[in-house]
Each structure stands twice: as C-alpha cells, then as structure tokens.
C-alpha cells in the first residue's frame, strides 16, 4: 500500500511540474486567451464607459460615452463622462463644440480644443458638469474626461 501511494505521489509531482513549466513558458499566450473570454471585461474607469451616442460631421466624429459612477456597491455621487473626438483624416487644428452628455437637449458644457498647442478651454453650463479632468491626444483621437454629478444621488 505504501509503495502504491509513493508511486502515485511521484506521478502527481511530475504532472504538477509539467503543468507549471507549460504555464511558465506559455504564460503570455494564456493571458491573451483568458482576456478574450466573454466574462473578462475592462473596467469602465479605464475604458471610459459604454458608448452613449455618436455625432458625425464633415471632418469630425464625436463619441460621447455614458457617465461612469463606479462604486464598490451601487453608484457613487460623483463620476465622469468621456468624449472622444476622431477626425476622418487628421484632427482639425481647432475643435469648438457644445456637448449634451445626458441627452436632455440642453448643452452641459462647451469645449474649445487647440490640437496643435495641446490646450483645452472648458466652460461648464450645467450644474451637474464639474471641472475638466483630462484632455489629451490618444493615438489619432482626442479624449476629454469631465467630472459629473450623479442626478440620482
């Protein structure tokens, strides 16, 4: 009986060592595979939230995401909204736009972005729209995040 248990333990040790070597060698490929699983999602804090609506013009496409109010339980009182400006070719030198992030047919804030000088002017119109968090070029797009207040809280 002891001999059988010893043999099974040695086989189990070789099996575990083999599995550990495979995971160590093929680790990056496994992480990519696991990342593609439908249950794996990127947090809206990093991704900017789900798409709310898109406005397309002649040379500019504006994607307004849904506001993100992340909290451990429920929604927080403060969050942010992300707006992405994409050009059909290059981004225009000057972007002036009024944004209605909550779709109440009233502009919530105005943005004036100089893409050459990397300067953004922000004017809040709605009491729910807070200060500018970040305005930056990301790849070929321009991304802006604005603090917003949760109307439900």
């Amino acid at each position: 009986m002891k001999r059988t248990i010893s043999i099974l333990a040695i086989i189990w040790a070789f099996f575990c060592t083999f599995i550990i070597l495979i995971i160590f060698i093929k680790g990056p490929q496994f992480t990519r595979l696991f990342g593609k699983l439908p249950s794996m999602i990127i947090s809206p804090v990093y991704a900017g939230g789900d798409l709310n609506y898109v406005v397309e013009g002649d040379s500019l496409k504006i994607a307004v995401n849904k506001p993100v109010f992340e909290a451990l339980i429920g929604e927080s009182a403060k969050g942010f909204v992300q707006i992405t400006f994409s050009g059909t070719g290059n981004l225009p030198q000057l972007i002036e736009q009024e944004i209605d992030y909550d779709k109440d047919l009233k502009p919530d804030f105005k943005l004036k972005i100089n893409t050459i000088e990397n300067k953004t002017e922000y004017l809040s119109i709605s009491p729910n729209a807070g200060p500018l968090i970040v305005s930056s070029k990301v790849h070929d797009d321009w991304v802006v995040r604005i603090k917003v207040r949760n109307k439900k809280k």
Side-chain angles (χ1 to χ4, degrees):
M1 182 69 174
K2 284 186 176 182
R3 186 178 172 130
T4 308
I5 291 174
S6 296
I7 292 173
L8 288 175
I10 291 171
I11 291 172
W12 180 251
F14 278 120
F15 179 73
C16 289
T17 305
F18 182 70
I19 295 295
I20 289 170
L21 284 174
I22 288 175
I23 290 173
F24 181 73
I25 293 169
K26 297 287 188 176
Q29 288 143 346
F30 284 141
T31 56
R32 280 189 220 103
L33 285 173
F34 288 133
K36 292 179 183 177
L37 291 174
S39 61
M40 298 291 186
I41 58 169
I42 299 173
S43 171
V45 172
Y46 301 110
D50 296 330
L51 187 64
N52 195 2
Y53 66 92
V54 176
V55 177
E56 292 194 45
D58 293 337
S59 63
L60 192 64
K61 176 180 165 187
I62 304 166
V64 179
N65 293 1
K66 293 179 182 174
V68 175
F69 300 107
E70 279 292 306
L72 188 60
I73 299 171
E75 291 184 345
S76 67
K78 295 180 182 176
F80 70 89
V81 65
Q82 179 171 303
I83 299 99
T84 305
F85 297 92
S86 306
T88 52
N90 292 329
L91 281 171
Q93 179 178 350
L94 189 64
I95 301 170
E96 288 187 70
Q97 195 68 40
E98 289 184 342
I99 305 291
D100 175 23
Y101 78 90
D102 55 5
K103 296 171 81 173
D104 63 354
L105 303 177
K106 297 177 198 167
D108 295 301
F109 50 87
K110 291 181 185 179
L111 291 168
K112 185 176 180 181
I113 303 168
N114 187 327
T115 58
I116 304 299
E117 297 178 9
N118 295 333
K119 291 186 179 180
T120 302
E121 293 178 26
Y122 167 78
L123 176 64
S124 177
I125 300 171
S126 168
N128 291 324
L132 177 72
I133 298 172
V134 68
S135 176
S136 177
K137 185 173 183 175
V138 178
H139 301 292
D140 294 331
D141 302 334
W142 197 275
V143 177
V144 176
R145 281 191 178 183
I146 308 290
K147 279 189 180 182
V148 293
R149 248 184 304 207
N150 194 343
K151 293 179 181 179
K152 300 174 190 172
K153 301 260 177 175

